[in-house]
Each structure stands twice: as C-alpha cells, then as structure tokens.
Amino acid sequence: GENVEQHPSTLSVQEGDSAVIKCTYSDSASNYFPWYKQELGKGPQLIIDIRSNVGEKKDQRIAVTLNKTAKHFSLHITETQPEDSAVYFCAATTLYDKVIFGPGTSLSVIP
Amino acid sequence: DSGVTQTPKHLITATGQRVTLRCSPRSGDLSVYWYQQSLDQGLQFLIQYYNGEERAKGNILERFSAQQFPDLHSELNLSSLELGDSALYFCASSVPTWGAQTGELFFGEGSRLTVL
C-alpha cells in the first residue's frame, strides 16, 4: 500500500522568510497529491493540491511542485506570516481511494 | 464550517468500555473516512465507506468497527477500550453525488476520546 514520508517534522522560520516541506510517496499509481493545514483544535483543511499531469501549481503565497519520476513533491510557502503557523500534512492517493497522509510538519512562524 | 458534523466532541470513559462516535457527512457526499490522531501523531487512516459499502481498510483494530447507513451517516464503534485508544478521531467526507469529484476531503472537528 501507499506510504508517505514527510520532512522536516518541525520547522521554525522568521516572519517573511520562506518555508519548504518535502514529501515522498511509494505507490506509483498515486496521481493526486493534496496538502492540508491543521490549526490548533480544528480538523485539517485543504490548502492546495496537484495532479500527476502537472509539475507545479501556485496559489498566491503557496506553491507545490511534483516530480513523478522521483516520487516526491514539495510545498513552498513564501513571505510567511504568523497565521501560517500550523501543522501541515501532505498526502498521496488516487481519486476515490483512501487518502494516506504523511506524519505532518509543525510550522512555527516567529514574528 | 466544513459541513461535516461529529458527535460527541468530547468523551471520557474507562478502560474496557465501549463507545460510539457519530459522523454526518457533508450534504450529498457519498464517501466517509475515519482517521485516528494520537497526541503529536499524524492522521492514521482507519476505514473508508462509499455509499454504504466498505471501500478500504487501514490499520483498524479488530476491537473497532464502523458502518455507513442508508442516509450516509457513519458510526465508529470502539470496544474493550484501552488507555492507548485515547486520541482524536476525525471523520471526513468526499465524493459528491452531483458536481465534479475534486478529491478534497472535508473534515469534521473531531471527537476527542479520553480513556481513563
């Protein structure tokens, strides 16, 4: 079955700096790679996703890149703000199938 | 508000007991997922239902069971509870009956189970 690894487990950055979180997956059949943000006391919420026919996708300060050959994908947050502080989860799946999450990255943005 | 409702929000019980967690998916969503999140842990996939049928199973213990009813709500039953079962249990829904399937999971706010 699918296995997703995620690094780093914790990340501290100064406000305004960039943050990068990296994930690898094992199942070459996976073709959908979402990223979720979990704020304290809440359920995870989708922030951006990418499909296997796309190499990069950007939404304002957030971007994701995908390398299907190497089976890894990354989340990039630029100009970080204190409200970006949260736990971020990557995931790999195919549509309609079970969604397997990475172990999470706790991001702290220091004002 | 994701549209997914989980009850109860908090539950405290003793070892050996049995509890039932309930999830009402987003209106029209056919698929329900259950995840377990222990302290400082990630989201462990337990089980997925699609339109009343079990679709995928993860590392769900034999003491745990789930079902999805004809009205699409789901229940997760946890029995013979142990201290290690203390966790946050999330339900998520997806796959709308109308509109495009985007793949997005909509999570509830979770049910926090404490086993003493």
Side-chain angles (χ1 to χ4, degrees):
Chain A
E2 178 64 272
N3 182 54
V4 180
E5 296 184 355
Q6 182 173 348
H7 299 280
S9 57
T10 60
L11 180 59
S12 289
V13 299
Q14 293 289 332
E15 182 178 357
D17 287 350
S18 295
V20 180
I21 303 171
K22 297 183 178 183
C23 290
T24 60
Y25 63 99
S26 61
D27 189 350
S28 57
S30 290
N31 58 10
Y32 174 62
F33 307 92
W35 287 87
Y36 286 78
K37 175 183 181 182
Q38 185 179 23
E39 297 177 341
L40 200 60
K42 295 187 176 181
Q45 188 170 8
L46 180 74
I47 55 170
I48 195 167
D49 56 17
I50 191 167
R51 300 183 191 278
S52 60
N53 58 347
V54 176
E56 184 173 355
K57 182 177 179 180
K58 191 173 182 180
D59 182 4
Q60 299 184 342
R61 297 185 296 108
I62 296 174
V64 291
T65 58
L66 171 65
N67 183 328
K68 279 222 75 176
T69 303
K71 293 184 188 170
H72 64 71
F73 54 114
S74 301
L75 176 71
H76 304 251
I77 305 175
T78 59
E79 301 172 20
T80 54
Q81 301 169 3
E83 53 264 37
D84 294 330
S85 295
V87 179
Y88 292 80
F89 293 98
C90 62
T93 184
T94 60
L95 286 184
Y96 301 100
D97 284 344
K98 61 184 179 183
V99 180
I100 302 301
F101 288 88
T105 296
S106 179
L107 173 64
S108 298
V109 179
I110 305 164
Chain B
D1 183 8
S2 67
V4 177
T5 303
Q6 289 188 247
T7 56
K9 292 192 187 308
H10 301 276
L11 189 55
I12 302 174
T13 188
T15 55
Q17 295 298 304
R18 171 190 169 95
V19 299
T20 297
L21 309 181
R22 181 188 169 100
C23 171
S24 293
R26 211 171 55 124
S27 177
D29 280 358
L30 297 170
S31 200
V32 167
Y33 304 73
W34 286 98
Y35 288 87
Q36 180 193 56
Q37 187 174 42
S38 302
L39 190 64
D40 294 332
Q41 295 295 310
L43 295 160
Q44 300 300 316
F45 172 72
L46 295 178
I47 198 163
Q48 177 196 2
Y49 282 86
Y50 176 80
N51 203 17
E53 300 291 325
E54 181 184 305
R55 186 177 178 94
K57 221 169 188 176
N59 297 324
I60 186 167
L61 299 172
E62 286 192 9
R63 300 184 286 108
F64 296 2
S65 65
Q67 55 184 323
Q68 185 180 27
F69 295 87
D71 67 353
L72 301 178
H73 92 270
S74 179
E75 293 181 355
L76 178 66
N77 301 296
L78 315 174
S79 62
S80 303
L81 285 168
E82 302 175 358
L83 297 178
D85 297 328
S86 295
L88 195 54
Y89 291 85
F90 282 107
C91 167
S93 74
S94 185
V95 192
T97 50
W98 56 85
Q101 158 60 346
T102 64
E104 180 174 0
L105 296 186
F106 295 87
F107 281 83
E109 296 204 338
S111 292
R112 181 169 295 282
L113 173 66
T114 302
V115 182
L116 301 176

